Amino acid sequence: MEEKVRNINDCYTLANGVKIPCVAYGTFFETEVGNSDIFEMAIDTGYRYFDTASAYGTENYLAEAMEKSGIRREEFFLASKLRRDCMGYEETKKEFERSLKRLHTDYLDLYLIHWPLPTPDYKEWKTLDLACWRAMEELYREGRVRAVGVSNFMPYHIENILKNCDVPPMVNQIEFHPGYSQEITLQYCRKHNILVQAWSPIGRRKMLEEPLILKLAEKYKVSAAQISLRYCIQRGVIPLPKSSSYERMKQNQDLFAFEISEEDMYRLETLPQIGWSGQHPERERIYFE
Ligand code: A2P
């Protein structure tokens, strides 16, 4: 997991040997995307790893963009997620097939359980997660998906799976950026050889206003967004930046010509909590202004 990466399509190796690019393009948008233009642009700028989810409503537009590109399916790394209102053994299998259909493909590179609980106060989550996981293991064994994992899981949610599985999760995708690095979950995942990925690596723009990050941007002669993304890379975490602009998509790939010093990494790692999205699997979402 500590492999040195030099461009966005350089890979880490997952616990099962599958190679995964070190940066992905995130496909969640607050407002309806409506067509494939933004994904065509993302492919054009060089992204090959796309992180989507059934809940995002973007799978079909992404499929359209991939087809239009003329690039072979195998050159993409395609990840999707099981939505939280479709959990359970049978539902996981059905929803996986629906995702494949929307994505116009017959396999995924990575499939994740999107949230450990369907609702924050759901009591039987241990049984439900194991039912989903049994289906995920079967899809994996059948070769329908090359790697399997979870998202927004805390260590105790993962522990439930690890104690009862044949195939351990290879990935955990969590909110991760300076000011909200979920250190305990990160440590736990490292210990169990689970690769961590960062959703909202720019903290939904909050990083762009943080004084320390602005200071480091000036020092390293890059943008505040690049500091946040490089921070992920130096923590061995895969950032999933999303942007609607060609220029910023390009900028978000330009992360390998500078290195944040150890001292500055400690500064970033020890920032007080900032930029939290307000989401936690066992709490109602908090909306900040
Ligand atoms: P835009 O689409 O206008 O580029 P996160 O991934 O942390 O949730 O943040 C996403 C937000 O960050 C989007 O609103 C996006 O806006 C913005 N963003 C992405 N890349 C950059 C960048 N390089 N500089 C400034 N803002 C960025």
Side-chain angles (χ1 to χ4, degrees), residues 110-160:
L110 177 66
Y111 197 47
L112 308 177
I113 301 180
H114 207 150
W115 291 90
L117 296 82
T119 52
D121 54 358
Y122 190 87
K123 300 274 184 304
E124 302 301 324
W125 61 266
K126 286 191 176 175
T127 314
L128 189 64
D129 285 0
L130 293 180
C132 295
W133 196 255
R134 197 156 55 83
M136 304 277 283
E137 288 182 328
E138 286 179 19
L139 293 167
Y140 176 69
R141 280 200 206 94
E142 289 161 9
R144 313 296 309 284
V145 56
R146 297 174 63 228
V148 283
V150 295
S151 179
N152 301 300
F153 274 50
M154 302 287 156
Y156 46 92
H157 300 126
I158 301 176
E159 195 76 2
N160 174 47

Side-chain angles (χ1 to χ4, degrees), residues 29 199-205 208 223 225-226 229 240-245 248-249 251-252:
F29 290 89
W199 62 260
S200 274
I202 306 168
R204 293 154 318 286
R205 291 170 179 266
L208 311 179
S223 72
Q226 286 168 306
L229 298 171
L240 318 165
K242 43 191 183 281
S243 175
S244 52
S245 111
R248 289 190 287 281
M249 285 180 193
Q251 186 192 108
N252 294 348

Side-chain angles (χ1 to χ4, degrees), residues 4-38:
K4 184 105 177 139
V5 284
R6 292 180 188 83
N7 67 65
I8 60 156
N9 291 314
D10 264 1
C11 290
Y12 299 121
T13 308
L14 294 176
N16 65 342
V18 162
K19 302 277 184 197
I20 184 167
C22 65
V23 178
Y25 179 78
T27 69
F28 169 74
F29 290 89
E30 295 285 347
T31 49
E32 234 261 270
V33 172
N35 60 52
S36 63
D37 292 357
I38 194 168

Side-chain angles (χ1 to χ4, degrees), residues 48-275:
R48 291 295 177 269
Y49 175 4
F50 286 86
D51 176 80
T52 185
S54 163
Y56 299 167
T58 49
E59 290 174 312
N60 53 337
Y61 300 125
L62 179 57
E64 205 180 311
M66 286 167 64
E67 276 167 4
K68 280 189 188 162
S69 75
I71 297 169
R72 287 182 308 135
R73 166 68 184 88
E74 308 81 74
E75 289 183 36
F76 289 102
F77 190 99
L78 192 51
S80 192
K81 309 183 195 79
L82 172 73
R83 54 194 302 144
R84 57 174 145 181
D85 52 3
C86 283
M87 294 175 78
Y89 174 76
E90 291 296 338
E91 273 308 305
T92 300
K93 293 208 156 181
K94 283 190 203 149
E95 186 52 18
F96 178 80
E97 295 304 331
R98 288 192 285 259
S99 271
L100 287 190
K101 213 165 162 192
R102 285 187 292 262
L103 285 163
H104 303 179
T105 186
D106 56 2
Y107 75 96
L108 287 185
D109 294 283
L110 177 66
Y111 197 47
L112 308 177
I113 301 180
H114 207 150
W115 291 90
L117 296 82
T119 52
D121 54 358
Y122 190 87
K123 300 274 184 304
E124 302 301 324
W125 61 266
K126 286 191 176 175
T127 314
L128 189 64
D129 285 0
L130 293 180
C132 295
W133 196 255
R134 197 156 55 83
M136 304 277 283
E137 288 182 328
E138 286 179 19
L139 293 167
Y140 176 69
R141 280 200 206 94
E142 289 161 9
R144 313 296 309 284
V145 56
R146 297 174 63 228
V148 283
V150 295
S151 179
N152 301 300
F153 274 50
M154 302 287 156
Y156 46 92
H157 300 126
I158 301 176
E159 195 76 2
N160 174 47
I161 292 186
L162 287 182
K163 280 192 175 139
N164 296 286
C165 70
D166 294 325
V167 179
M170 295 136 202
V171 164
N172 186 20
Q173 183 178 126
I174 56 174
E175 179 176 356
F176 181 96
H177 48 73
Y180 197 71
S181 300
Q182 306 208 53
E183 296 296 337
I184 301 295
T185 301
L186 183 65
Q187 269 176 41
Y188 179 89
C189 288
R190 283 213 178 121
K191 189 168 137 197
H192 294 279
N193 203 10
I194 297 170
L195 187 79
V196 172
Q197 309 186 319
W199 62 260
S200 274
I202 306 168
R204 293 154 318 286
R205 291 170 179 266
K206 291 284 186 299
M207 299 302 105
L208 311 179
E209 301 155 14
E210 158 55 38
L212 170 65
I213 294 183
L214 289 171
K215 213 159 98 184
L216 295 180
E218 206 181 317
K219 174 173 170 184
Y220 291 93
K221 300 190 174 25
V222 293
S223 72
Q226 286 168 306
I227 293 288
S228 303
L229 298 171
R230 180 72 203 178
Y231 170 76
C232 297
I233 305 246
Q234 288 187 219
R235 302 292 317 265
V237 169
I238 294 181
L240 318 165
K242 43 191 183 281
S243 175
S244 52
S245 111
Y246 189 93
E247 193 194 355
R248 289 190 287 281
M249 285 180 193
K250 274 293 207 195
Q251 186 192 108
N252 294 348
Q253 300 177 15
D254 184 9
L255 308 172
F256 304 91
F258 70 105
E259 182 154 358
I260 304 172
S261 71
E262 193 180 21
E263 182 180 324
D264 289 333
M265 282 300 287
Y266 278 129
R267 288 201 171 92
L268 290 165
E269 286 161 0
T270 54
L271 265 180
Q273 182 171 306
I274 45 160

